[in-house]
Amino acid sequence: MKIVREDNGNVLLVLKECVPVSQIKSNDVDASFEKHVPQMKKIDNSVEVFVNHVMEEDHYIEWILVDYGSRQIIEHFSPGDVPKIVVEYQDGMKAYSYCNKHSLWISGEVF
Ligand SMILES: [Fe+2]
């Protein structure tokens, strides 16, 4: 799976790549790591995925994507929302967040 940004600003999830594209590097922008990386907290068989980020009109988390490898879940957010979702736990799962100003971020381990 790749997440790419086109020259016109569109952000795309690439499930199968047929031509070379420019992949967005996660955690690659000079911004606060703690405020962008999704935190994954395990609660029984669920995981709370949360981003500790402002949700202002001009600066907010646009979406959180949970990648299970064979399937993905994405939740979109608007300014004023709480950037948090609760999903099922699976070994090896990853979470991505996308800030409208600071691009793509990837989670660490589930804790
Ligand atoms: Fe940001």
Side-chain angles (χ1 to χ4, degrees):
M1 184 190 82
K2 282 186 175 179
I3 300 172
V4 300
R5 182 176 33 237
E6 297 180 322
D7 291 341
N8 63 7
N10 290 341
V11 176
L12 308 174
L13 174 64
V14 178
L15 300 177
K16 181 179 179 185
E17 186 176 356
C18 300
V19 294
V21 292
S22 299
Q23 183 173 6
I24 303 173
K25 291 183 180 175
S26 56
N27 306 1
D28 194 42
V29 175
D30 185 16
S32 171
F33 190 82
E34 302 77 26
K35 293 182 179 176
H36 291 91
V37 169
Q39 308 293 314
M40 297 200 297
K41 182 178 179 182
K42 189 171 186 289
I43 304 168
D44 298 322
N45 290 326
S46 298
V47 175
E48 179 185 279
V49 183
F50 175 70
V51 184
N52 186 25
H53 191 277
V54 297
M55 293 297 280
E56 299 169 348
E57 282 297 322
D58 64 341
H59 186 197
Y60 63 100
I61 297 299
E62 292 188 8
W63 45 260
I64 292 174
L65 182 147
V66 176
D67 182 15
Y68 292 107
S70 60
R71 65 187 173 102
Q72 292 77 37
I73 295 172
I74 189 166
E75 180 94 16
H76 295 266
F77 300 98
S78 299
D81 290 345
V82 176
K84 179 176 82 173
I85 60 173
V86 177
V87 296
E88 75 176 275
Y89 173 77
Q90 268 185 22
D91 286 338
M93 64 188 293
K94 298 175 187 169
Y96 295 83
S97 64
Y98 189 84
C99 170
N100 68 325
K101 285 191 174 179
H102 300 115
S103 194
L104 185 67
W105 299 78
I106 188 169
S107 62
E109 298 297 313
V110 176
F111 67 93

